[in-house]
Amino acid sequence: MNKIKFRIIEGEKSEINKTQLLKRIYYKINENYISEDKLEELISSISYVKNMLIDERDFNKYNFNIPGFKDIYREYEMIKRENNLLDYDDMLTLTYEILRKSQGLLNKYRNKYKYIQVDEAQDTSKVQHEIVRLLAYPENNLFLVGDEDQSIYSFRGAYPEAILNFEREYKGSKIFLMEQNFRSTKNITMTSNEFIRGNKERYNKNMYTEKEEEIPVTIKFLMNEEEEVKYIIDEIYENKKLKDTAILYRNNLSAIPLVDALSKNGIPFYLRDFKQSFFTHWVVQDITAFINVALNREDIHSFERIYYKMNSYISKKAMEHIKRHYKGQSVFDLLRRCPDLNPYIIKRINSIEECFRILPYKKPKDAIDFLQNQLSYKEYLDNNCEKMGYSIENINLIIASLKIIANNTTSITGFLNRFEELQKLMDDAKFNKDKDAVTLSTIHSAKGLEFENVFMIDLIEGQFPAAGSISDEDENYEKYIEEERRLFYVGMTRAKKQLNLLAVNTKNQERVVCSRFVGEVFSIVNPVDKEEELSSLNSYGFSIGTSVIHKRFGQGIIIDINQETVEINFNIYGIKKLLMRACIEENLLYKI
Ligand SMILES: Nc1ncnc2c1ncn2[C@@H]1O[C@H](COP(=O)(O)OP(=O)(O)OP(=O)(O)O)[C@@H](O)[C@H]1O
């Protein structure tokens, strides 16, 4: 038999590295460098295709938000095939292929393993389940342990349906529900149990605990992100149990203002799995380049990064010209000496230089607003983000995080220094793992962990559920929301004694809508008798001016009401007229 030697391309140390290879292919196909977050998305998408056993011909049925995805995928597969390279996902698909083709090998392994046990079955992918199915047949001595309510990796191919369809797929099998919770107080167990019932794709479990009720689940609506951080710090000072406290968030970016505030207050923290990609993100690099040019008009490298991102009408040819003649002078002086410039362009160069002259005198946060508006960087982002495959919501979140750092500094040099300090603080925080320190983590990374005291923060629509690439008109929207609800549930069930859910009214000075999931928990911890609610409604329950949360439309204010209908001005969806009885009977509307 011919032996083929395969090489694995995973990990930084491998001879041929998967990420390097994908970066190269992306560049070849798109003639553009791939950013860190896009690279992550590309890797997940390839994993998804492999793990879900998706045929290339069906790619158009899926929403892969990566320019040239099909061509990148083909090229990646071809290079691996021609060079006998494998990534981790290929190890699964290849195993599956070999076992299907070679009856001899399949029999060998079937005989070798009489009993098969699978843990974390909710995170097991379709191809993994298919391999298990082949190996277990015909005895089917198969035992899966998992919790479909904690399945949070479907974006990279986890396949919880295998648990849900188990009895149908394996005739004569049995399901045992493990309903006793040994971790959390009664308050937390009952609230999270009720909450996850909002999902349909699940076994109907009745989680219970023999622990005491203890502290009720707390929901706080805070004015803004500064108040949110202040609230957490005050609570931590009161409790002082650093090691037993975790602050959990949906989006890695939420860590930035936290780190800023915790470090200033001398509270040690351990940062799980933070991706430094924030600091190297192209938007962050653009903004620092603007500031660098403002501080030093001779900084040609920073200028080259941004000259075409500010509506300057400076051509590539002019840029090449100044690079050729550059000897450490001001880029603006050089620009004015370019040949063939018309008076309009010269006027434009002068006005841009004036903006860069003013910028250092502004407060750091105003400086970011200024470069966005006066130097038209915002317009550049608005016009180009979607074209380049980035969601503008995400880009705005990144800018909002920068503004929070900026807001806590007094000069733009102070801002740049703090920015560097934060990078170092976050880098060093990974060494605090076993120290007496508060844990900061995304919910994804907190899976499997537990803490006495848990804060879930930034619980606002757009962040949780995240503003994904999926619209609410999409047929898969409900599936998407169910996955987000499971993630919320994973966060809630990390808490042993105290669970604090925090939402803000404004972020980056803009009104935001509280997460629908907070609304759902709110109605669980503040139950109302429906009949009583209906009769009080007829009199004074809800009235014009009452602030409400609607499960579907988020936060709003009642502007008109009668016995049958209620008219609400929603922050995001505008004015809607709804049937009062349906809102109450289906638990859709809550006062806040
Ligand atoms: N039979 C038991 N008696 C007492 N305590 C238990 C028992 N089983 C588990 N525990 C405790 O309950 C907590 C949760 O257990 P464990 O982490 O094993 O559960 P899990 O199902 O993996 O949870 P999750 O999937 O939510 O992370 C731990 O603190 C563990 O020590």
Side-chain angles (χ1 to χ4, degrees):
M1 195 169 89
N2 286 335
K3 283 190 180 160
I4 305 172
K5 188 177 165 202
F6 286 100
R7 279 176 299 170
I8 305 288
I9 56 168
E10 299 274 357
E12 291 299 317
K13 288 189 187 136
S14 65
E15 199 183 328
I16 301 169
N17 177 268
K18 175 179 181 175
T19 51
Q20 297 305 335
L21 181 58
L22 284 171
K23 278 181 187 173
R24 238 178 33 225
I25 300 173
Y26 184 93
Y27 186 82
K28 184 177 162 200
I29 306 282
N30 291 307
E31 293 181 355
N32 203 348
Y33 293 106
I34 188 166
S35 69
E36 289 298 312
D37 47 353
K38 262 291 164 245
L39 178 65
E40 213 174 287
E41 202 177 332
L42 174 61
I43 291 173
S44 291
S45 302
I46 293 174
S47 264
Y48 185 82
V49 166
K50 295 263 169 181
N51 278 282
M52 292 293 282
L53 296 167
I54 295 169
D55 193 291
E56 244 182 84
R57 282 165 297 192
D58 293 330
F59 277 10
N60 52 355
K61 292 187 192 150
Y62 297 84
N63 189 9
F64 297 117
N65 191 22
I66 292 154
F69 179 70
K70 197 170 184 170
D71 293 333
I72 297 172
Y73 182 84
R74 276 200 188 135
E75 178 97 6
Y76 180 56
E77 289 304 293
M78 191 189 73
I79 293 177
K80 284 186 296 173
R81 213 172 25 248
E82 287 178 353
N83 297 285
N84 294 331
L85 305 174
L86 293 179
D87 63 18
Y88 288 153
D89 300 317
D90 295 324
M91 290 167 77
L92 295 169
T93 45
L94 198 62
T95 304
Y96 180 52
E97 214 179 295
I98 293 170
L99 289 178
R100 278 203 318 170
K101 280 191 186 147
S102 164
Q103 194 61 42
L105 261 182
L106 181 58
N107 286 340
K108 180 178 158 192
Y109 285 103
R110 275 181 180 162
N111 293 333
K112 188 165 178 181
Y113 302 112
K114 197 161 181 325
Y115 299 95
I116 298 181
Q117 201 167 318
V118 179
D119 197 8
E120 302 289 359
Q122 77 283 352
D123 294 332
T124 307
S125 67
K126 194 167 190 171
V127 64
Q128 288 170 326
H129 280 292
E130 290 306 324
I131 293 171
V132 168
R133 185 201 302 278
L134 282 177
L135 292 175
Y137 189 81
E139 302 290 330
N140 289 338
N141 287 326
L142 179 57
F143 183 55
L144 305 190
V145 183
D147 180 359
E148 79 284 3
D149 288 334
Q150 293 196 52
S151 171
I152 53 175
Y153 287 111
S154 67
F155 65 91
R156 63 177 193 209
Y159 190 64
E161 287 84 346
I163 311 186
L164 298 171
N165 300 337
F166 194 69
E167 275 176 307
R168 213 175 325 133
E169 301 268 324
Y170 292 92
K171 297 279 175 253
S173 59
K174 262 194 177 162
I175 304 286
F176 300 91
L177 298 180
M178 294 164 74
E179 294 172 305
Q180 183 166 5
N181 181 320
F182 293 95
R183 174 182 292 146
S184 312
T185 62
K186 194 171 272 169
N187 268 318
I188 296 170
T189 305
M190 302 317 264
T191 308
S192 46
N193 179 54
E194 198 54 40
F195 170 76
I196 197 61
R197 284 173 180 224
N199 274 8
K200 296 192 181 77
E201 297 277 309
R202 63 188 294 269
Y203 289 109
N204 190 12
K205 296 185 267 325
N206 277 308
M207 299 304 292
Y208 69 95
T209 183
E210 283 172 3
K211 289 191 185 279
E212 297 296 314
E213 283 204 338
E214 300 201 37
I215 310 163
V217 173
T218 315
I219 301 175
K220 287 271 165 207
F221 299 99
L222 298 145
M223 280 305 290
N224 51 37
E225 54 269 60
E226 282 89 16
E227 292 259 309
E228 184 179 53
V229 173
K230 186 174 173 307
Y231 173 81
I232 296 172
I233 288 174
D234 289 347
E235 288 286 304
I236 291 175
Y237 275 137
E238 202 162 297
N239 274 326
K240 281 276 178 227
K241 290 187 194 154
L242 302 184
K243 204 167 172 40
D244 280 326
T245 300
I247 308 172
L248 308 181
Y249 33 84
R250 171 73 180 87
N251 188 327
N252 243 314
L253 282 175
S254 296
I256 294 182
L258 274 176
V259 167
D260 195 29
L262 291 176
S263 63
K264 281 188 179 139
N265 283 277
I267 299 175
F269 57 91
Y270 162 56
L271 198 54
R272 268 181 82 81
D273 193 30
F274 182 77
K275 299 198 179 63
Q276 290 287 7
S277 54
F278 167 74
F279 295 100
T280 53
H281 195 283
W282 58 270
V283 169
V284 172
Q285 304 247 314
D286 280 356
I287 290 179
T288 43
F290 273 102
I291 295 177
N292 286 336
V293 173
L295 290 171
N296 173 12
R297 267 162 273 170
E298 286 127 38
D299 184 346
I300 194 164
H301 294 297
S302 296
F303 187 72
E304 191 177 7
R305 187 178 173 92
I306 52 169
Y307 77 96
Y308 58 96
K309 298 177 181 171
M310 53 183 168
N311 221 352
S312 64
Y313 300 103
I314 299 166
S315 64
K316 199 169 177 183
K317 205 168 133 207
M319 188 66 223
E320 290 303 323
H321 176 87
I322 70 168
K323 270 169 73 183
R324 270 198 308 277
H325 294 85
Y326 179 72
K327 290 196 186 76
Q329 324 82 313
S330 149
V331 289
F332 298 100
D333 289 345
L334 275 172
L335 273 171
R336 276 184 287 262
R337 274 185 242 131
C338 278
D340 308 329
L341 285 189
N342 70 40
Y344 175 75
I345 303 269
I346 296 194
K347 215 169 142 197
R348 186 84 193 127
I349 292 168
N350 291 342
S351 83
I352 284 175
E353 185 181 22
E354 180 59 12
C355 287
F356 277 104
R357 200 189 58 73
I358 298 172
L359 201 136
Y361 298 102
K362 300 216 159 270
K363 284 190 193 148
K365 186 178 156 292
D366 297 341
I368 299 178
D369 282 334
F370 185 79
L371 66 88
Q372 277 190 282
N373 299 317
Q374 303 310 113
L375 284 165
S376 314
Y377 183 56
K378 185 173 184 312
E379 194 181 320
Y380 167 78
L381 292 177
D382 288 343
N383 291 338
N384 292 287
C385 274
E386 306 288 340
K387 274 188 231 156
M388 296 190 293
Y390 298 98
S391 96
I392 191 77
E393 283 94 355
N394 225 1
I395 297 296
N396 286 338
L397 277 180
I398 290 173
I399 296 176
S401 304
L402 272 180
K403 286 185 183 169
I404 292 173
I405 306 174
N407 217 7
N408 293 329
T409 54
T410 48
S411 67
I412 63 168
T413 36
F415 165 66
L416 290 182
N417 291 341
R418 182 63 182 157
F419 185 74
E420 296 222 329
E421 263 168 39
L422 281 177
Q423 245 180 100
K424 180 155 178 7
L425 277 168
M426 291 172 112
D427 231 7
D428 292 347
K430 55 179 177 280
F431 301 115
N432 284 345
K433 187 168 194 286
D434 298 314
K435 304 213 176 110
D436 192 24
V438 174
T439 296
L440 270 51
S441 175
T442 59
I443 301 177
H444 277 106
S445 296
K447 194 158 176 272
L449 305 181
E450 58 185 23
F451 305 87
E452 299 250 311
N453 190 12
V454 167
F455 295 91
M456 286 171 68
I457 66 164
D458 286 346
L459 305 178
I460 54 176
E461 288 286 304
Q463 288 212 34
F464 214 159
S469 44
I470 191 162
S471 103
D472 55 2
E473 317 266 291
D474 197 298
E475 55 173 328
N476 286 323
Y477 185 70
E478 257 327 296
K479 251 182 180 298
Y480 172 73
I481 292 298
E482 291 217 349
E483 173 114 344
E484 291 286 300
R485 193 179 280 109
R486 288 194 289 271
L487 188 60
F488 202 95
Y489 174 75
V490 168
M492 291 174 80
T493 51
R494 298 311 92 203
K496 293 207 264 187
K497 288 205 163 156
Q498 198 169 356
L499 175 61
N500 303 273
L501 307 180
L502 311 187
V504 288
N505 283 335
T506 59
K507 201 153 178 83
N508 191 24
Q509 285 158 344
E510 284 182 18
R511 275 194 77 85
V512 288
V513 177
C514 160
S515 163
R516 71 194 72 186
F517 301 138
V518 173
E520 291 173 19
V521 175
F522 187 87
S523 73
I524 296 166
V525 293
N526 299 288
V528 281
D529 180 305
K530 282 187 190 139
E531 282 309 311
E532 198 182 291
E533 180 77 359
L534 267 179
S535 67
S536 71
L537 255 178
N538 295 342
S539 45
Y540 307 104
F542 285 76
S543 59
I544 293 175
T546 305
S547 284
V548 288
I549 297 180
H550 187 277
K551 263 191 190 169
R552 166 85 173 69
F553 303 117
Q555 211 164 328
I557 290 182
I558 296 184
I559 53 170
D560 197 12
I561 189 165
N562 60 38
Q563 298 299 337
E564 271 145 34
T565 59
V566 57
E567 214 168 316
I568 303 172
N569 189 359
F570 290 104
N571 295 1
I572 285 189
Y573 291 90
I575 296 173
K576 293 214 176 279
K577 200 170 194 173
L578 307 169
L579 281 176
M580 196 74 238
R581 185 171 273 275
C583 283
I584 298 303
E585 289 187 349
E586 289 171 33
N587 272 330
L588 296 176
L589 196 65
Y590 319 102
K591 279 184 264 182
I592 51 171

